[in-house]
Amino acid sequence: MRKNKSKYKKLSMREVRRINPCGTSKICLPSDLNEINRRQLLIGGACLTAYLPLSKFIFPSLYAQESYPIKKKLVWINMRGGWDILEVTDPKVSSTSGIDMIYDWGLANQVSGSAGTKIGRWLPNIAAIGEDLLVVRGVAMGTTSHNAGSVYMDTGVLSNSGNVNAASIPAIVASQGASTIPIIQLNGGSDPQTDRGLLNPVSVVRANNLSLYRSMFPEDSSEIDKKLSVMNYVKDSIEQLKGEIGSTDRLTEIASAEEKVRTQFSQNVGQKLSLTDAELSTFVEGAPENFNTGMAQSFALALKLIKEDIVDVVNLGVGGFDTHSNQSISLERTLTSVDFAIGSFVSGLKAAGKLDSTLIVLYSDFGRTPKINNSNGRDHWPVGGALMIGGSISGGRSVGATDDDLRALYVHKDTGVTIDENDPNAVQLSPAHIGGSVLELTLGSDYMKYRDSYLYNIPALTKLKKS
């Protein structure tokens, strides 16, 4: 009995080079080819995909889904190491039975325009954000593992091994977007999980690949013209084939890829992934003495890409929060820098009219113990907090609470104020509530039908400012 054989034979490298005289590492110019025939176009068309960070533009017919256009861009910021919520989201008035106070309550910053909501003593610029700042307290983490806590915040799924087969919140949002770069991961950002249960495929431009990505784009007008001439040649060949054989799925896919690449060349996206001195100056001039250059560049690039609508989602992060010793000295340096970076970032978005359309979330692996250890630091504690900024969110307030021993309390899902845990409206906040609420704010409540089995949006976290 004869075995079935594919009607397409495997091509040797020599045959590939005959089909593509320019080889595999070079895009051909029209002068290099006499004609792109049907077979060449269908094989070579895939080469366009190297320029595309979003494969749904290449294969739209394969990924047709209900559309949930992004309502807000997302900036997802990981404060790596487990921050001390007493010094960030949840300062306490005085020492209690379970908490060692190492600061003066009077130094805590009141959020502008709030009814007494305070945040840490080294965060004056963030406190000044006022009605655009929502403070989230008493987040039950269920873990004191760095990896597990970070992944829990990223995905809304808890596993103490940290191995979770679920898409990250940034990846979910980016998968519904249409920007040139759906998601970019900058220095310090958690690596988004992009291949776990997304409705649409999405890929990431990563910090360690930025130079490579830039190199794929033209550097001057002459090179742009050459690249566009290739696009024109491909487009004409597609149209010629459509006239000969009619429209096919494959031709439609290649046409979509060609259009996307043409847009990226025309907009000179590669150049926009670099910073000028003027663009960086906002995050350098007046910066704290210990402000990290890498942090300045990450926030400056994030601001530029959002202002120019190049990205839908930004992942970035800041380290330095694993403070087991010398608590005050190390945290002052780190939080002063974070405060400056966020203040400058928010001011830039506000000046560009982009703050209401951009949701910023600052989170960490977990919190720190109420008690000071023998090294004047705090150790891992399974209760955290978060800051949510912009996105038209109703701010100038706090949601959630901890008790005098820094344990997470139950709150009303609509108001965020403490209530009895047996009340039918009571919830103990977790990363699943933050993740679900971020999805509602960025993609709309209708999208939640895909995620409501493990992510939970609650009104206390999704309330918007009155228009």
PDB file of all heavy atoms in Angstrom, residues 136-166:
ATOM      1  N   VAL A 136      -4.792  51.254  46.781  1.00  0.00           N
ATOM      2  CA  VAL A 136      -5.386  49.938  47.060  1.00  0.00           C
ATOM      3  C   VAL A 136      -4.632  49.305  48.217  1.00  0.00           C
ATOM      4  O   VAL A 136      -3.413  49.109  48.153  1.00  0.00           O
ATOM      5  CB  VAL A 136      -5.325  49.022  45.821  1.00  0.00           C
ATOM      6  CG1 VAL A 136      -6.068  47.711  46.108  1.00  0.00           C
ATOM      7  CG2 VAL A 136      -5.933  49.716  44.603  1.00  0.00           C
ATOM      8  N   ARG A 137      -5.365  48.967  49.277  1.00  0.00           N
ATOM      9  CA  ARG A 137      -4.756  48.426  50.494  1.00  0.00           C
ATOM     10  C   ARG A 137      -5.302  47.032  50.799  1.00  0.00           C
ATOM     11  O   ARG A 137      -6.334  46.628  50.289  1.00  0.00           O
ATOM     12  CB  ARG A 137      -5.054  49.357  51.674  1.00  0.00           C
ATOM     13  CG  ARG A 137      -4.446  50.742  51.528  1.00  0.00           C
ATOM     14  CD  ARG A 137      -4.973  51.688  52.580  1.00  0.00           C
ATOM     15  NE  ARG A 137      -4.259  52.972  52.572  1.00  0.00           N
ATOM     16  CZ  ARG A 137      -4.705  54.080  53.122  1.00  0.00           C
ATOM     17  NH1 ARG A 137      -5.881  54.077  53.754  1.00  0.00           N
ATOM     18  NH2 ARG A 137      -3.994  55.202  53.073  1.00  0.00           N
ATOM     19  N   GLY A 138      -4.582  46.329  51.659  1.00  0.00           N
ATOM     20  CA  GLY A 138      -5.085  45.051  52.166  1.00  0.00           C
ATOM     21  C   GLY A 138      -5.288  44.004  51.095  1.00  0.00           C
ATOM     22  O   GLY A 138      -6.321  43.324  51.078  1.00  0.00           O
ATOM     23  N   VAL A 139      -4.305  43.841  50.205  1.00  0.00           N
ATOM     24  CA  VAL A 139      -4.407  42.834  49.142  1.00  0.00           C
ATOM     25  C   VAL A 139      -3.852  41.510  49.677  1.00  0.00           C
ATOM     26  O   VAL A 139      -2.651  41.400  49.952  1.00  0.00           O
ATOM     27  CB  VAL A 139      -3.632  43.269  47.885  1.00  0.00           C
ATOM     28  CG1 VAL A 139      -3.746  42.207  46.799  1.00  0.00           C
ATOM     29  CG2 VAL A 139      -4.152  44.608  47.384  1.00  0.00           C
ATOM     30  N   ALA A 140      -4.719  40.524  49.839  1.00  0.00           N
ATOM     31  CA  ALA A 140      -4.307  39.222  50.360  1.00  0.00           C
ATOM     32  C   ALA A 140      -3.546  38.462  49.281  1.00  0.00           C
ATOM     33  O   ALA A 140      -4.115  38.060  48.274  1.00  0.00           O
ATOM     34  CB  ALA A 140      -5.528  38.428  50.817  1.00  0.00           C
ATOM     35  N   MET A 141      -2.244  38.260  49.502  1.00  0.00           N
ATOM     36  CA  MET A 141      -1.388  37.653  48.487  1.00  0.00           C
ATOM     37  C   MET A 141      -1.345  36.128  48.564  1.00  0.00           C
ATOM     38  O   MET A 141      -1.111  35.464  47.560  1.00  0.00           O
ATOM     39  CB  MET A 141       0.035  38.206  48.607  1.00  0.00           C
ATOM     40  CG  MET A 141       0.155  39.700  48.337  1.00  0.00           C
ATOM     41  SD  MET A 141      -0.401  40.169  46.679  1.00  0.00           S
ATOM     42  CE  MET A 141       0.688  39.186  45.659  1.00  0.00           C
ATOM     43  N   GLY A 142      -1.540  35.577  49.752  1.00  0.00           N
ATOM     44  CA  GLY A 142      -1.535  34.122  49.868  1.00  0.00           C
ATOM     45  C   GLY A 142      -0.172  33.495  49.656  1.00  0.00           C
ATOM     46  O   GLY A 142      -0.065  32.273  49.546  1.00  0.00           O
ATOM     47  N   THR A 143       0.875  34.304  49.584  1.00  0.00           N
ATOM     48  CA  THR A 143       2.217  33.775  49.373  1.00  0.00           C
ATOM     49  C   THR A 143       3.254  34.794  49.829  1.00  0.00           C
ATOM     50  O   THR A 143       2.964  35.993  49.882  1.00  0.00           O
ATOM     51  CB  THR A 143       2.466  33.442  47.890  1.00  0.00           C
ATOM     52  OG1 THR A 143       3.764  32.854  47.732  1.00  0.00           O
ATOM     53  CG2 THR A 143       2.394  34.695  47.027  1.00  0.00           C
ATOM     54  N   THR A 144       4.435  34.290  50.174  1.00  0.00           N
ATOM     55  CA  THR A 144       5.568  35.181  50.432  1.00  0.00           C
ATOM     56  C   THR A 144       6.729  34.807  49.520  1.00  0.00           C
ATOM     57  O   THR A 144       7.885  35.100  49.820  1.00  0.00           O
ATOM     58  CB  THR A 144       6.012  35.106  51.907  1.00  0.00           C
ATOM     59  OG1 THR A 144       6.286  33.746  52.260  1.00  0.00           O
ATOM     60  CG2 THR A 144       4.934  35.670  52.822  1.00  0.00           C
ATOM     61  N   SER A 145       6.424  34.176  48.416  1.00  0.00           N
ATOM     62  CA  SER A 145       7.424  33.830  47.398  1.00  0.00           C
ATOM     63  C   SER A 145       7.512  34.954  46.376  1.00  0.00           C
ATOM     64  O   SER A 145       6.486  35.392  45.842  1.00  0.00           O
ATOM     65  CB  SER A 145       7.031  32.523  46.702  1.00  0.00           C
ATOM     66  OG  SER A 145       7.684  32.384  45.460  1.00  0.00           O
ATOM     67  N   HIS A 146       8.732  35.415  46.108  1.00  0.00           N
ATOM     68  CA  HIS A 146       8.902  36.491  45.128  1.00  0.00           C
ATOM     69  C   HIS A 146       8.285  36.118  43.784  1.00  0.00           C
ATOM     70  O   HIS A 146       7.503  36.875  43.206  1.00  0.00           O
ATOM     71  CB  HIS A 146      10.391  36.789  44.920  1.00  0.00           C
ATOM     72  CG  HIS A 146      11.037  37.494  46.064  1.00  0.00           C
ATOM     73  ND1 HIS A 146      10.664  38.753  46.465  1.00  0.00           N
ATOM     74  CD2 HIS A 146      12.051  37.103  46.891  1.00  0.00           C
ATOM     75  CE1 HIS A 146      11.427  39.129  47.493  1.00  0.00           C
ATOM     76  NE2 HIS A 146      12.272  38.141  47.771  1.00  0.00           N
ATOM     77  N   ASN A 147       8.642  34.951  43.276  1.00  0.00           N
ATOM     78  CA  ASN A 147       8.176  34.547  41.955  1.00  0.00           C
ATOM     79  C   ASN A 147       6.669  34.354  41.938  1.00  0.00           C
ATOM     80  O   ASN A 147       5.967  34.854  41.051  1.00  0.00           O
ATOM     81  CB  ASN A 147       8.883  33.262  41.515  1.00  0.00           C
ATOM     82  CG  ASN A 147       8.583  32.908  40.068  1.00  0.00           C
ATOM     83  OD1 ASN A 147       8.545  33.778  39.207  1.00  0.00           O
ATOM     84  ND2 ASN A 147       8.388  31.636  39.806  1.00  0.00           N
ATOM     85  N   ALA A 148       6.157  33.638  42.941  1.00  0.00           N
ATOM     86  CA  ALA A 148       4.720  33.369  42.983  1.00  0.00           C
ATOM     87  C   ALA A 148       3.914  34.649  43.146  1.00  0.00           C
ATOM     88  O   ALA A 148       2.870  34.829  42.508  1.00  0.00           O
ATOM     89  CB  ALA A 148       4.398  32.394  44.113  1.00  0.00           C
ATOM     90  N   GLY A 149       4.393  35.563  44.005  1.00  0.00           N
ATOM     91  CA  GLY A 149       3.670  36.814  44.204  1.00  0.00           C
ATOM     92  C   GLY A 149       3.638  37.666  42.958  1.00  0.00           C
ATOM     93  O   GLY A 149       2.602  38.247  42.606  1.00  0.00           O
ATOM     94  N   SER A 150       4.761  37.753  42.272  1.00  0.00           N
ATOM     95  CA  SER A 150       4.823  38.537  41.039  1.00  0.00           C
ATOM     96  C   SER A 150       3.924  37.945  39.974  1.00  0.00           C
ATOM     97  O   SER A 150       3.184  38.660  39.290  1.00  0.00           O
ATOM     98  CB  SER A 150       6.271  38.603  40.550  1.00  0.00           C
ATOM     99  OG  SER A 150       6.372  39.386  39.379  1.00  0.00           O
ATOM    100  N   VAL A 151       3.960  36.609  39.828  1.00  0.00           N
ATOM    101  CA  VAL A 151       3.113  35.946  38.829  1.00  0.00           C
ATOM    102  C   VAL A 151       1.639  36.082  39.192  1.00  0.00           C
ATOM    103  O   VAL A 151       0.781  36.252  38.315  1.00  0.00           O
ATOM    104  CB  VAL A 151       3.516  34.462  38.687  1.00  0.00           C
ATOM    105  CG1 VAL A 151       2.508  33.692  37.843  1.00  0.00           C
ATOM    106  CG2 VAL A 151       4.909  34.348  38.069  1.00  0.00           C
ATOM    107  N   TYR A 152       1.316  36.010  40.468  1.00  0.00           N
ATOM    108  CA  TYR A 152      -0.072  36.184  40.919  1.00  0.00           C
ATOM    109  C   TYR A 152      -0.591  37.558  40.518  1.00  0.00           C
ATOM    110  O   TYR A 152      -1.702  37.694  39.992  1.00  0.00           O
ATOM    111  CB  TYR A 152      -0.127  35.998  42.434  1.00  0.00           C
ATOM    112  CG  TYR A 152      -1.506  35.832  43.038  1.00  0.00           C
ATOM    113  CD1 TYR A 152      -2.647  35.627  42.261  1.00  0.00           C
ATOM    114  CD2 TYR A 152      -1.665  35.862  44.424  1.00  0.00           C
ATOM    115  CE1 TYR A 152      -3.903  35.465  42.849  1.00  0.00           C
ATOM    116  CE2 TYR A 152      -2.903  35.700  45.022  1.00  0.00           C
ATOM    117  CZ  TYR A 152      -4.020  35.497  44.229  1.00  0.00           C
ATOM    118  OH  TYR A 152      -5.258  35.341  44.818  1.00  0.00           O
ATOM    119  N   MET A 153       0.219  38.587  40.735  1.00  0.00           N
ATOM    120  CA  MET A 153      -0.195  39.925  40.317  1.00  0.00           C
ATOM    121  C   MET A 153      -0.295  40.017  38.796  1.00  0.00           C
ATOM    122  O   MET A 153      -1.204  40.659  38.263  1.00  0.00           O
ATOM    123  CB  MET A 153       0.792  40.968  40.835  1.00  0.00           C
ATOM    124  CG  MET A 153       0.701  41.251  42.320  1.00  0.00           C
ATOM    125  SD  MET A 153      -0.900  41.923  42.857  1.00  0.00           S
ATOM    126  CE  MET A 153      -1.019  43.393  41.843  1.00  0.00           C
ATOM    127  N   ASP A 154       0.616  39.365  38.091  1.00  0.00           N
ATOM    128  CA  ASP A 154       0.618  39.438  36.630  1.00  0.00           C
ATOM    129  C   ASP A 154      -0.571  38.728  35.992  1.00  0.00           C
ATOM    130  O   ASP A 154      -1.079  39.157  34.961  1.00  0.00           O
ATOM    131  CB  ASP A 154       1.897  38.812  36.069  1.00  0.00           C
ATOM    132  CG  ASP A 154       3.055  39.787  36.032  1.00  0.00           C
ATOM    133  OD1 ASP A 154       2.818  40.997  36.168  1.00  0.00           O
ATOM    134  OD2 ASP A 154       4.209  39.338  35.875  1.00  0.00           O
ATOM    135  N   THR A 155      -1.000  37.611  36.586  1.00  0.00           N
ATOM    136  CA  THR A 155      -2.002  36.758  35.938  1.00  0.00           C
ATOM    137  C   THR A 155      -3.321  36.646  36.690  1.00  0.00           C
ATOM    138  O   THR A 155      -4.331  36.269  36.094  1.00  0.00           O
ATOM    139  CB  THR A 155      -1.445  35.338  35.772  1.00  0.00           C
ATOM    140  OG1 THR A 155      -1.235  34.754  37.069  1.00  0.00           O
ATOM    141  CG2 THR A 155      -0.142  35.335  34.980  1.00  0.00           C
ATOM    142  N   GLY A 156      -3.298  36.915  37.995  1.00  0.00           N
ATOM    143  CA  GLY A 156      -4.504  36.690  38.800  1.00  0.00           C
ATOM    144  C   GLY A 156      -4.656  35.238  39.216  1.00  0.00           C
ATOM    145  O   GLY A 156      -5.691  34.843  39.737  1.00  0.00           O
ATOM    146  N   VAL A 157      -3.612  34.430  38.998  1.00  0.00           N
ATOM    147  CA  VAL A 157      -3.640  33.008  39.361  1.00  0.00           C
ATOM    148  C   VAL A 157      -2.511  32.745  40.352  1.00  0.00           C
ATOM    149  O   VAL A 157      -1.364  33.102  40.103  1.00  0.00           O
ATOM    150  CB  VAL A 157      -3.470  32.107  38.120  1.00  0.00           C
ATOM    151  CG1 VAL A 157      -3.472  30.633  38.530  1.00  0.00           C
ATOM    152  CG2 VAL A 157      -4.571  32.385  37.107  1.00  0.00           C
ATOM    153  N   LEU A 158      -2.849  32.094  41.472  1.00  0.00           N
ATOM    154  CA  LEU A 158      -1.864  31.823  42.522  1.00  0.00           C
ATOM    155  C   LEU A 158      -1.342  30.401  42.430  1.00  0.00           C
ATOM    156  O   LEU A 158      -2.108  29.443  42.368  1.00  0.00           O
ATOM    157  CB  LEU A 158      -2.484  32.047  43.905  1.00  0.00           C
ATOM    158  CG  LEU A 158      -1.590  31.685  45.113  1.00  0.00           C
ATOM    159  CD1 LEU A 158      -0.332  32.535  45.129  1.00  0.00           C
ATOM    160  CD2 LEU A 158      -2.370  31.841  46.414  1.00  0.00           C
ATOM    161  N   SER A 159      -0.042  30.279  42.412  1.00  0.00           N
ATOM    162  CA  SER A 159       0.634  28.986  42.517  1.00  0.00           C
ATOM    163  C   SER A 159       1.946  29.240  43.234  1.00  0.00           C
ATOM    164  O   SER A 159       2.757  30.050  42.768  1.00  0.00           O
ATOM    165  CB  SER A 159       0.911  28.380  41.139  1.00  0.00           C
ATOM    166  OG  SER A 159       1.825  27.307  41.233  1.00  0.00           O
ATOM    167  N   ASN A 160       2.164  28.581  44.353  1.00  0.00           N
ATOM    168  CA  ASN A 160       3.388  28.853  45.105  1.00  0.00           C
ATOM    169  C   ASN A 160       4.646  28.378  44.389  1.00  0.00           C
ATOM    170  O   ASN A 160       5.751  28.719  44.793  1.00  0.00           O
ATOM    171  CB  ASN A 160       3.307  28.253  46.510  1.00  0.00           C
ATOM    172  CG  ASN A 160       2.693  29.232  47.503  1.00  0.00           C
ATOM    173  OD1 ASN A 160       3.030  30.402  47.512  1.00  0.00           O
ATOM    174  ND2 ASN A 160       1.774  28.745  48.323  1.00  0.00           N
ATOM    175  N   SER A 161       4.484  27.591  43.330  1.00  0.00           N
ATOM    176  CA  SER A 161       5.647  27.261  42.510  1.00  0.00           C
ATOM    177  C   SER A 161       5.980  28.404  41.556  1.00  0.00           C
ATOM    178  O   SER A 161       7.092  28.489  41.038  1.00  0.00           O
ATOM    179  CB  SER A 161       5.367  25.997  41.694  1.00  0.00           C
ATOM    180  OG  SER A 161       4.387  26.248  40.691  1.00  0.00           O
ATOM    181  N   GLY A 162       4.998  29.278  41.322  1.00  0.00           N
ATOM    182  CA  GLY A 162       5.193  30.364  40.373  1.00  0.00           C
ATOM    183  C   GLY A 162       5.012  29.935  38.937  1.00  0.00           C
ATOM    184  O   GLY A 162       5.145  30.750  38.009  1.00  0.00           O
ATOM    185  N   ASN A 163       4.676  28.650  38.715  1.00  0.00           N
ATOM    186  CA  ASN A 163       4.460  28.153  37.355  1.00  0.00           C
ATOM    187  C   ASN A 163       2.976  28.182  37.038  1.00  0.00           C
ATOM    188  O   ASN A 163       2.207  27.369  37.548  1.00  0.00           O
ATOM    189  CB  ASN A 163       4.995  26.718  37.223  1.00  0.00           C
ATOM    190  CG  ASN A 163       6.490  26.648  37.429  1.00  0.00           C
ATOM    191  OD1 ASN A 163       7.225  27.500  36.950  1.00  0.00           O
ATOM    192  ND2 ASN A 163       6.944  25.633  38.152  1.00  0.00           N
ATOM    193  N   VAL A 164       2.586  29.140  36.222  1.00  0.00           N
ATOM    194  CA  VAL A 164       1.173  29.350  35.918  1.00  0.00           C
ATOM    195  C   VAL A 164       0.965  29.377  34.407  1.00  0.00           C
ATOM    196  O   VAL A 164       1.635  30.131  33.705  1.00  0.00           O
ATOM    197  CB  VAL A 164       0.665  30.671  36.540  1.00  0.00           C
ATOM    198  CG1 VAL A 164      -0.732  30.986  36.060  1.00  0.00           C
ATOM    199  CG2 VAL A 164       0.705  30.584  38.058  1.00  0.00           C
ATOM    200  N   ASN A 165       0.062  28.551  33.927  1.00  0.00           N
ATOM    201  CA  ASN A 165      -0.260  28.557  32.504  1.00  0.00           C
ATOM    202  C   ASN A 165      -1.457  29.456  32.240  1.00  0.00           C
ATOM    203  O   ASN A 165      -2.553  28.996  31.911  1.00  0.00           O
ATOM    204  CB  ASN A 165      -0.538  27.135  32.008  1.00  0.00           C
ATOM    205  CG  ASN A 165       0.721  26.319  31.912  1.00  0.00           C
ATOM    206  OD1 ASN A 165       1.752  26.828  31.491  1.00  0.00           O
ATOM    207  ND2 ASN A 165       0.658  25.052  32.318  1.00  0.00           N
ATOM    208  N   ALA A 166      -1.238  30.739  32.421  1.00  0.00           N
ATOM    209  CA  ALA A 166      -2.292  31.725  32.174  1.00  0.00           C
ATOM    210  C   ALA A 166      -1.651  32.981  31.601  1.00  0.00           C
ATOM    211  O   ALA A 166      -0.542  33.347  31.980  1.00  0.00           O
ATOM    212  CB  ALA A 166      -3.040  32.058  33.469  1.00  0.00           C
TER     213      ALA A 166
END
